[in-house]
Amino acid sequence: MKAIGKIYTDFPEKFGIPRQSGLVKQLEGRIILDPPYNVKEAFDGIEEYSYLWILWQFSECIKSDFSPTVRPPKLGGEKRKGVFATRSPFRPNNIGLSCVKLENVTHTKEYGTVLTVSGIDMKNGTPIYDIKPYIAYADCKPDAKSSFADIHKNDKLTVKINDELKVQIPNNKLSALIGILECDPRPAYQNDESRIYGISFANMNIKFKVSNRILTVTDIEK
Amino acid sequence: MKAIGKIYTDFPEKFGIPRQSGLVKQLEGRIILDPPYNVKEAFDGIEEYSYLWILWQFSECIKSDFSPTVRPPKLGGEKRKGVFATRSPFRPNNIGLSCVKLENVTHTKEYGTVLTVSGIDMKNGTPIYDIKPYIAYADCKPDAKSSFADIHKNDKLTVKINDELKVQIPNNKLSALIGILECDPRPAYQNDESRIYGISFANMNIKFKVSNRILTVTDIEK
């Protein structure tokens, strides 16, 4: 297995990245493949699909020993579940699977074919193993039961950013940032209301705290 | 990347295997992992999901050189499409992606935890890289546009098996076999009505021919 290219996103660090693809639709990434994979022919017909599967490497989550259980953050980080019953990055083979929307395909002189995709959940520079089209009749299971992922899917925080801070956020990054914060990026449920967290996103460091399910942005550093 | 186990199915050969998962719901497979991955704890909570993603190795489709285009059988084997715009097994990394239904989980003395899944599209003994739960809110895209895969999804053959041959098929394999044949297993559209094809399935070799979109089983060898 070898990386065939990388995805470039607004996340220089792991903290704050949505825990599944598609959670924050405004989050875009650019996929640039290495030669010889970046030729136009290799993408012929890809615009006929609205979604793609990206197989990628959990490059920051490589563990040498196998742990059969993990603690999903959605369960407060206290309950354990079997690794094969979660999408935890700590698994025997470090392959991530994301469903992203194909926004556009451009053919450039410098990089060859470049795909812009949205709904991403990867760090900047994440190595890519494969790109496959999403095939509705095989992949879409509207009857699927998904355990705690279903229960908590509307479990969003309320995000507050005062106007003074808001003007410091580029217009085209604001709704994506709100989407990230609504997902509750904290590592596991923590009730320490005084704790200040920081997310690196789009060349900013966003400081925030959480109290009573309200997330308040306290500062923006550039 | 290393195989963590294998899936056991009724297909000793590649020919006749459905070209996507979920096409023939009756097709079951058993996933048996190697130690240390086959412990009960590693599957804790998996019954809370109705579908699983299986990441596996296209073990019969390893090519050393990269070809940017492939000829999808659904397009008659004549038109070329970019490899990243298809699910062709001939791709830079030989990873297959299948969505299967979880039928049951058993804990055995001999093999540890064994998963029975349905809607499979893998050869007997296919190496498995990973098992992940299907998460409806991230994976189910009912609005997805899927190119020619959509156009041909109801493009089934009519299958005829006379009673004399039908009694030779075990009861619990009959509907799966009809499902396989309806999918038109021929390598690409061929109009040679006299040609006899043979599929190895569940310890039988099923001979058939196709004329005017009617597939007739001509013989069953055991």
Side-chain angles (χ1 to χ4, degrees), chain A residues 13-212:
Chain A
E13 289 171 12
K14 207 178 133 197
F15 185 63
I17 302 179
R19 293 193 180 99
Q20 296 299 330
S21 57
L23 286 179
V24 184
K25 298 192 195 313
Q26 304 91 331
L27 279 176
E28 286 196 344
R30 293 203 319 151
I31 298 176
I32 300 180
L33 298 190
D34 300 325
Y37 311 115
N38 60 355
V39 293
K40 195 174 176 174
E41 294 77 10
F43 299 90
D44 181 33
I46 204 163
E47 300 92 335
E48 294 159 27
Y49 296 87
S50 35
Y51 295 91
L52 303 176
W53 289 110
I54 310 297
L55 276 65
W56 48 281
Q57 188 192 47
F58 285 122
S59 49
E60 297 229 333
C61 301
I62 294 165
K63 266 176 74 175
S64 54
D65 56 328
F66 173 68
S67 168
T69 61
V70 294
R71 291 177 298 163
K74 276 279 186 192
L75 295 177
E78 283 156 19
K79 279 193 205 164
R80 290 198 160 267
K81 290 280 177 183
V83 64
F84 300 121
T86 76
R87 300 243 196 142
S88 165
F90 298 102
R91 50 200 321 113
N93 287 305
N94 299 282
I95 320 177
L97 177 64
S98 297
C99 183
V100 297
K101 190 151 191 272
L102 178 61
E103 295 291 345
N104 69 65
V105 183
T106 52
H107 305 288
T108 71
K109 212 160 189 175
E110 192 172 2
Y111 302 114
T113 296
V114 175
L115 306 181
T116 304
V117 297
S118 64
I120 60 96
D121 58 344
M122 297 91 137
K123 217 190 96 165
N124 187 42
T126 292
I128 301 293
Y129 288 134
D130 203 0
I131 299 167
K132 298 179 195 280
Y134 186 97
I135 296 183
Y137 74 75
D139 303 341
C140 186
K141 305 290 182 188
D143 60 323
K145 187 178 65 167
S146 319
S147 185
F148 60 87
D150 276 347
I151 302 165
H152 293 274
K153 77 176 171 182
N154 294 317
D155 222 7
K156 293 198 168 175
L157 299 182
T158 300
V159 172
K160 293 197 173 168
I161 312 176
N162 70 35
D163 291 344
E164 203 178 318
L165 292 170
K166 208 174 260 178
V167 294
Q168 299 180 40
I169 304 166
N171 267 334
N172 62 342
K173 301 291 176 187
L174 179 63
S175 72
L177 176 62
I178 293 172
I180 296 162
L181 297 173
E182 282 176 344
C183 289
D184 195 352
R186 293 174 296 169
Y189 190 74
Q190 291 180 358
N191 239 337
D192 183 357
E193 301 185 356
S194 62
R195 181 155 173 187
I196 305 274
Y197 298 87
I199 285 180
S200 296
F201 172 69
N203 301 315
M204 300 174 280
N205 193 277
I206 319 292
K207 304 287 184 188
F208 66 89
K209 55 187 184 178
V210 182
S211 168
N212 291 324

Side-chain angles (χ1 to χ4, degrees), chain B residues 110-149:
Chain B
E110 192 172 2
Y111 302 114
T113 296
V114 175
L115 305 180
T116 303
V117 297
S118 63
I120 61 97
D121 58 345
M122 297 91 137
K123 217 190 94 165
N124 188 42
T126 291
I128 301 293
Y129 288 135
D130 203 1
I131 299 166
K132 297 180 195 280
Y134 185 97
I135 296 184
Y137 72 77
D139 302 341
C140 186
K141 306 289 182 188
D143 60 324
K145 187 178 64 167
S146 320
S147 184
F148 60 88

Side-chain angles (χ1 to χ4, degrees), chain B residues 70-81:
Chain B
V70 294
R71 292 178 298 162
K74 276 278 185 192
L75 295 177
E78 282 155 20
K79 280 193 205 164
R80 291 199 158 265
K81 291 279 176 182

Side-chain angles (χ1 to χ4, degrees), chain B residues 12-55:
Chain B
E13 289 169 11
K14 207 178 132 197
F15 185 63
I17 301 179
R19 294 192 180 101
Q20 297 298 331
S21 56
L23 287 180
V24 184
K25 299 192 195 312
Q26 305 89 332
L27 279 176
E28 287 197 343
R30 293 203 318 152
I31 298 175
I32 300 181
L33 298 190
D34 301 323
Y37 311 115
N38 61 354
V39 293
K40 194 174 178 175
E41 293 78 8
F43 300 89
D44 181 32
I46 205 163
E47 300 93 335
E48 294 158 27
Y49 295 87
S50 35
Y51 295 92
L52 302 176
W53 289 108
I54 310 297
L55 277 65

Side-chain angles (χ1 to χ4, degrees), chain B residues 31 60 69 85 154 176 206 217:
Chain B
I31 298 175
E60 296 230 331
T69 60
N154 294 316
I206 317 293
V217 174

